[in-house]
Amino acid sequence: MAESAMNHEEKLDKLAEVAVRVGLGLAHGQQLVMTAPLEAVPLVRRITEHAYKAGASLVTTIFGDEQSTLMRFQHGADDSFDTASKWLYDGMAEAFRGGAARLAIAGEDPNLLAGQDPARVARANRARSQAYLPALELISGFDINWTICSFASSAWARAVFPNVSEEQAVAKLWDAIFAASRVDRPDPVAAWGEHNAELRARYSMLNAKQYSALHFRGPGTDLKVGLADDHEWAGGATKAKNGVVCNPNIPSEEVFTTPHRARVEGTVTSTKPLSYQGTLIQDIAVRFEGGQIAEARARTGQDVLQKVLETDEGARRLGEVALVPHSSPISASGLLFYNTLFDENASHHIALGQAYAKCVRGGLSMTEAELEQKGANRSLIHIDWMIGSDKVDVDGVNADGSAEPLMRGGEWVTKAA
Amino acid sequence: MAESAMNHEEKLDKLAEVAVRVGLGLAHGQQLVMTAPLEAVPLVRRITEHAYKAGASLVTTIFGDEQSTLMRFQHGADDSFDTASKWLYDGMAEAFRGGAARLAIAGEDPNLLAGQDPARVARANRARSQAYLPALELISGFDINWTICSFASSAWARAVFPNVSEEQAVAKLWDAIFAASRVDRPDPVAAWGEHNAELRARYSMLNAKQYSALHFRGPGTDLKVGLADDHEWAGGATKAKNGVVCNPNIPSEEVFTTPHRARVEGTVTSTKPLSYQGTLIQDIAVRFEGGQIAEARARTGQDVLQKVLETDEGARRLGEVALVPHSSPISASGLLFYNTLFDENASHHIALGQAYAKCVRGGLSMTEAELEQKGANRSLIHIDWMIGSDKVDVDGVNADGSAEPLMRGGEWVTKAA
């Protein structure tokens, strides 16, 4: 089918096919546990159809309703905000232990909770994070194949395109999602195959180098991010412990690894706003000492940022560092998506909180204590924020302290092999 | 507010208020687990609001999508139909053990699975019933407060009113739901208080009588339903084990008790069609011997009926017998709702399968073995079907074999005290 011949419904169907075949790599007989905003029903149904065609034994979708979430903040008793649906998350963890795959459709209103009491928002998030942890560990530990893809909800579209009609905004956001997810290509599944091969060449080079640190320099940034011992770079396709190859993020442009929790030094300034649970945190400026945030400021959302940093001890340390060329398709769109899945793929980024065990060699079979010994951080949170631009340079620092240029002006110095 | 002044939105809000205050009697600090069809979002949101106002600590809604259900039958592999989302039902059971209340919104398309392979439908239902059993036992055992109310979905409305436009059908079905649920009254909560008092007077009289059997006589029916030892009649409001008074069905017109699993004799003919999981089972004619169905026929849906009876040993025995005057509001509407919640409240009915422990004196604290000794039946299913009309008479049979007239021409012989 020629690109121009595809209408919206066909592209939506291609996105569903990419989510099931590339994102999940769903195996015959697997259950699928899907989470989605209510508005995403048309995509949910297409994914459900592709999942059954791929041999799913059962597809169960847990829909979220943002209006109902908001009602809690409007009408709920103050003593209610430390409660989470632990029974549901424990059920999901049980599904994963039983072999179910996991698909999340993102499309949240980035401003949903903007007007609500930050203390209540933080309490609700903390309760939710604690309740979700057992399920999240099975996901981030790749016990199962999983993926996240996106739906252009109207509230999200209005935030990204505030100056056009809602209908136009939704159409524009869909164009951006389809392009970034490579479903506007004649053969999206093949396009993902090529893309995965490029990412593989890049992270293989970095794994061969085994730098002891990355050095970021740019406006307001002079940051040395020590890497975990035996760190492993990853990107694109991942083989889960159940043997299934999945692409956990649709889209994905990054290669990423695990920093050393105690070896981050210097200052760093965010280059894009962070949309966190309905609050926009802009112009974050942070100073690290011994791996820990010693000072943190933000032009907007500072109170929310402070609450985040108080979540637990690991919330002040890094769990991920990722490199993304400035010329990547999402960056080239020039858009700010107010959604981590997209914005992190337009820019280098670091994440506060939980590290990925798979980014330590042999990490998926290690205990928490063993991972910590390698330098991997542990926390209830994992929050990515963007620190790259065409003005940020990156050096790879060797164990002997010598540095070599890795990225200049936002681009790789060497071509992928 | 005068009745005529209430518009649709106001009535929907009253229905939500009745569901939370009368149906659930929701207590401050309780979680609420709601299940609902996707189309019921407007009612879900109003119930969510009333629940938070009543002090709910968290409202979690599990939405069901009939289109997704159908896709499984259209595209799923044959080996998939014995799978159920046990992880989700176990999670719900865990929520109930933790004190959560339960609300179900009914509104299914009665014909959804009509065109599908009955063997696959039966396999999927059986798997679901088995997975749901631990949660269902906590509900039917009244460990928690729970209720079912209704939403006028378009597919359901088309089935009830096939000869008008969909818009008219939905409006008519809403009128019927609002009337039956008493939310068209000036003070619906007070109206439920009066109704509950009447039902209480009726079941108190029957409890004082302690009949050994009920004798139903009418066209195609001559059936003696022995009652369980120490059976207890119930109806309307119920005090759950957690101390909360709830109305498990909105609407509800019945008084009901537990038959003796081994003491049902004779023949009975259904007086209304039974809509079971998308199939219409009409003109059921059954002969009981020693409490067990010895012969069963149906004019339509006989293959589905046979599959139901093969579910387990208890599926061929009775778990409930209920009396409903022919003049009750739902019967007076003259409508066939293709939905048990409504149709059972227009007519005497019996249920195949699981008995209610609360309908045996002290039953909620008894073991399964103790309940069985009293004559209470046990099964994966509980399926009500209608056996009453203005042509069916009912006698109460005393232990000495003497009979006294209880209902004639569909009405109680004596007034409620």
Side-chain angles (χ1 to χ4, degrees):
Chain A
M1 188 186 307
E3 181 180 342
S4 59
M6 272 205 281
N7 63 26
H8 177 77
E9 290 304 314
E10 289 165 335
K11 285 183 194 163
L12 202 65
D13 197 66
K14 284 285 179 198
L15 179 57
E17 187 186 358
V18 162
V20 171
R21 290 182 57 193
V22 178
L24 292 174
L26 196 72
H28 186 102
Q30 273 197 302
Q31 280 198 46
L32 173 57
V33 178
M34 183 155 35
T35 54
L38 270 182
E39 211 177 332
V41 171
L43 180 58
V44 165
R45 288 181 178 160
R46 287 179 184 273
I47 289 173
T48 301
E49 183 176 332
H50 280 285
Y52 280 124
K53 285 179 176 170
S57 59
L58 184 62
V59 180
T60 305
T61 302
I62 309 292
F63 287 96
D65 177 33
E66 296 192 327
Q67 292 309 307
S68 296
T69 301
L70 205 51
M71 278 171 187
R72 185 188 196 189
F73 287 89
Q74 289 164 341
H75 304 291
D78 188 64
D79 61 11
S80 78
F81 290 91
D82 302 308
T83 302
S85 53
K86 182 163 164 54
W87 59 271
L88 178 58
Y89 297 124
D90 282 349
M92 287 172 61
E94 196 53 37
F96 302 151
R97 281 188 285 266
R102 160 92 166 103
L103 190 150
I105 300 180
E108 295 79 14
D109 177 358
N111 301 312
L112 182 71
L113 299 180
Q116 306 304 322
D117 175 9
R120 285 183 167 186
V121 174
R123 284 166 62 200
N125 286 338
R126 191 186 155 81
R128 186 187 167 282
S129 294
Q130 282 177 321
Y132 189 43
L133 193 61
L136 184 62
E137 284 181 341
L138 296 168
I139 295 169
S140 62
F142 282 90
D143 283 62
I144 47 138
N145 45 323
W146 59 275
T147 196
I148 310 177
C149 64
S150 292
F151 184 88
S153 68
S154 45
W156 180 21
R158 281 197 309 270
V160 180
F161 302 99
N163 299 319
V164 299
S165 73
E166 180 173 302
E167 194 187 342
Q168 286 174 311
V170 168
K172 279 171 175 283
L173 183 54
W174 269 127
D175 283 346
I177 291 173
F178 289 144
S181 307
R182 292 177 161 73
V183 301
D184 57 353
R185 315 288 175 94
D187 184 343
V189 174
W192 271 94
E194 288 162 30
H195 181 51
N196 277 327
E198 278 169 36
L199 291 170
R200 194 181 315 120
R202 188 66 68 190
Y203 71 66
S204 300
M205 178 272 285
L206 289 164
N207 280 333
K209 291 283 189 184
Q210 281 292 307
Y211 292 121
S212 75
L214 300 180
H215 190 178
F216 294 84
R217 272 168 310 179
T221 290
D222 186 353
L223 183 73
K224 273 197 179 153
V225 178
L227 300 181
D229 301 336
D230 297 330
H231 68 270
E232 201 155 271
W233 288 84
T238 301
K239 188 171 190 170
K241 285 183 197 164
N242 63 3
V244 179
V245 176
C246 63
N247 267 265
N249 288 180
I250 303 284
S252 182
E253 302 289 337
E254 60 176 335
V255 291
F256 58 100
T257 193
T258 296
H260 195 291
R261 62 191 302 281
R263 297 181 196 151
V264 183
E265 305 287 343
T267 56
V268 61
T269 300
S270 66
T271 52
K272 283 169 177 279
L274 165 61
S275 170
Y276 179 69
Q277 312 265 15
T279 300
L280 214 57
I281 311 179
Q282 291 176 294
D283 297 343
I284 305 170
V286 158
R287 185 168 58 78
F288 283 90
E289 262 180 40
Q292 199 174 28
I293 291 181
E295 247 186 290
R297 283 175 296 116
R299 185 169 58 81
T300 69
Q302 170 140 12
D303 47 353
V304 173
L305 178 63
Q306 286 299 343
K307 288 276 176 208
V308 164
L309 295 177
E310 288 160 15
T311 309
D312 52 25
E313 203 271 336
R316 304 181 77 86
R317 297 178 184 275
L318 294 187
E320 182 191 345
V321 59
L323 300 176
V324 180
H326 187 66
S327 61
S328 82
I330 294 170
S331 176
S333 77
L335 294 170
L336 182 62
F337 286 88
Y338 302 98
N339 181 306
T340 297
L341 184 59
F342 285 77
D343 290 327
E344 73 166 11
N345 282 301
S347 169
H348 309 323
H349 54 271
I350 49 181
L352 299 173
Q354 180 71 24
Y356 293 119
K358 76 158 179 172
C359 290
V360 172
R361 192 157 53 240
L364 291 177
S365 338
M366 287 183 186
T367 64
E368 286 299 330
E370 288 167 334
L371 282 166
E372 200 166 321
Q373 192 127 30
K374 298 287 182 186
N377 193 35
R378 185 168 156 80
S379 170
L380 285 174
I381 66 165
H382 179 101
I383 301 175
D384 298 273
W385 49 289
M386 280 50 86
I387 63 166
S389 77
D390 57 355
K391 293 181 188 63
V392 174
D393 291 340
V394 187
D395 284 353
V397 182
N398 293 305
D400 64 5
S402 65
E404 45 195 63
L406 211 48
M407 304 188 84
R408 287 292 178 266
E411 302 305 323
W412 293 104
V413 170
T414 59
K415 285 226 174 291
Chain B
M1 190 186 304
E3 181 180 341
S4 58
M6 272 206 281
N7 64 25
H8 178 77
E9 290 304 313
E10 288 164 335
K11 285 182 193 161
L12 201 65
D13 196 66
K14 286 284 180 198
L15 180 58
E17 186 185 359
V18 163
V20 171
R21 290 182 56 194
V22 177
L24 292 174
L26 196 73
H28 186 101
Q30 273 198 301
Q31 279 199 46
L32 173 57
V33 178
M34 184 157 31
T35 54
L38 270 183
E39 211 177 334
V41 172
L43 180 59
V44 166
R45 289 180 178 162
R46 286 178 185 275
I47 289 173
T48 300
E49 184 176 331
H50 280 285
Y52 280 125
K53 285 178 176 171
S57 60
L58 185 63
V59 180
T60 306
T61 302
I62 309 291
F63 287 96
D65 178 32
E66 295 192 327
Q67 292 309 308
S68 296
T69 302
L70 205 51
M71 277 170 187
R72 186 188 195 188
F73 287 89
Q74 289 164 340
H75 304 291
D78 188 64
D79 61 11
S80 78
F81 289 92
D82 302 308
T83 302
S85 54
K86 182 165 165 52
W87 58 272
L88 178 57
Y89 297 124
D90 282 349
M92 287 172 63
E94 196 54 35
F96 301 151
R97 280 187 286 266
R102 159 92 167 103
L103 190 150
I105 300 180
E108 295 78 16
D109 177 357
N111 302 311
L112 182 72
L113 300 180
Q116 306 305 321
D117 175 8
R120 284 182 168 188
V121 174
R123 284 166 61 199
N125 286 339
R126 191 186 155 82
R128 185 187 167 284
S129 296
Q130 282 177 322
Y132 189 42
L133 193 60
L136 184 62
E137 285 181 339
L138 295 168
I139 295 169
S140 62
F142 281 90
D143 282 63
I144 47 140
N145 45 324
W146 59 274
T147 196
I148 310 177
C149 64
S150 293
F151 183 88
S153 67
S154 45
W156 181 19
R158 281 198 309 270
V160 180
F161 302 99
N163 299 319
V164 300
S165 74
E166 181 173 301
E167 193 188 342
Q168 287 175 310
V170 168
K172 280 171 174 283
L173 184 54
W174 270 127
D175 283 346
I177 291 173
F178 289 144
S181 307
R182 292 176 163 71
V183 303
D184 57 353
R185 315 287 175 97
D187 184 344
V189 174
W192 271 94
E194 288 162 31
H195 180 51
N196 276 328
E198 278 170 36
L199 291 170
R200 194 182 315 119
R202 187 67 68 190
Y203 71 66
S204 300
M205 179 272 284
L206 288 164
N207 281 332
K209 289 284 190 185
Q210 280 292 308
Y211 292 121
S212 75
L214 299 180
H215 190 178
F216 294 85
R217 271 167 310 179
T221 291
D222 185 353
L223 181 72
K224 274 198 181 155
V225 178
L227 301 181
D229 301 337
D230 296 329
H231 67 271
E232 200 155 272
W233 288 85
T238 300
K239 189 170 191 169
K241 285 182 199 165
N242 62 4
V244 178
V245 175
C246 63
N247 267 264
N249 287 181
I250 303 284
S252 181
E253 303 288 339
E254 59 176 336
V255 291
F256 58 101
T257 194
T258 295
H260 195 291
R261 63 191 301 282
R263 297 183 196 149
V264 183
E265 306 286 343
T267 55
V268 61
T269 300
S270 66
T271 52
K272 284 169 177 278
L274 165 63
S275 170
Y276 180 70
Q277 312 264 17
T279 300
L280 214 56
I281 311 179
Q282 290 175 295
D283 297 343
I284 304 171
V286 158
R287 185 167 57 78
F288 283 90
E289 261 182 41
Q292 199 174 28
I293 291 180
E295 246 185 287
R297 282 174 296 117
R299 185 170 57 81
T300 68
Q302 169 139 11
D303 47 353
V304 173
L305 178 63
Q306 286 299 343
K307 288 276 175 208
V308 164
L309 295 178
E310 288 160 17
T311 308
D312 52 26
E313 203 272 336
R316 305 181 78 86
R317 298 178 185 273
L318 295 187
E320 181 191 345
V321 58
L323 300 176
V324 180
H326 187 66
S327 60
S328 83
I330 295 171
S331 176
S333 78
L335 294 170
L336 182 61
F337 285 88
Y338 302 98
N339 181 307
T340 297
L341 184 60
F342 285 77
D343 290 327
E344 73 166 11
N345 282 301
S347 168
H348 309 323
H349 53 272
I350 49 181
L352 299 174
Q354 179 71 22
Y356 294 120
K358 75 158 179 171
C359 290
V360 172
R361 192 155 56 238
L364 291 177
S365 336
M366 286 182 186
T367 63
E368 286 300 330
E370 287 168 333
L371 282 166
E372 199 165 322
Q373 192 126 31
K374 298 287 183 187
N377 193 35
R378 185 168 156 79
S379 170
L380 285 175
I381 65 166
H382 178 100
I383 301 173
D384 298 273
W385 48 290
M386 279 49 87
I387 63 165
S389 78
D390 57 354
K391 295 181 186 65
V392 175
D393 292 341
V394 187
D395 283 355
V397 182
N398 293 305
D400 65 3
S402 64
E404 46 195 64
L406 212 48
M407 304 189 84
R408 287 292 178 266
E411 303 305 323
W412 293 102
V413 170
T414 58
K415 283 225 175 293

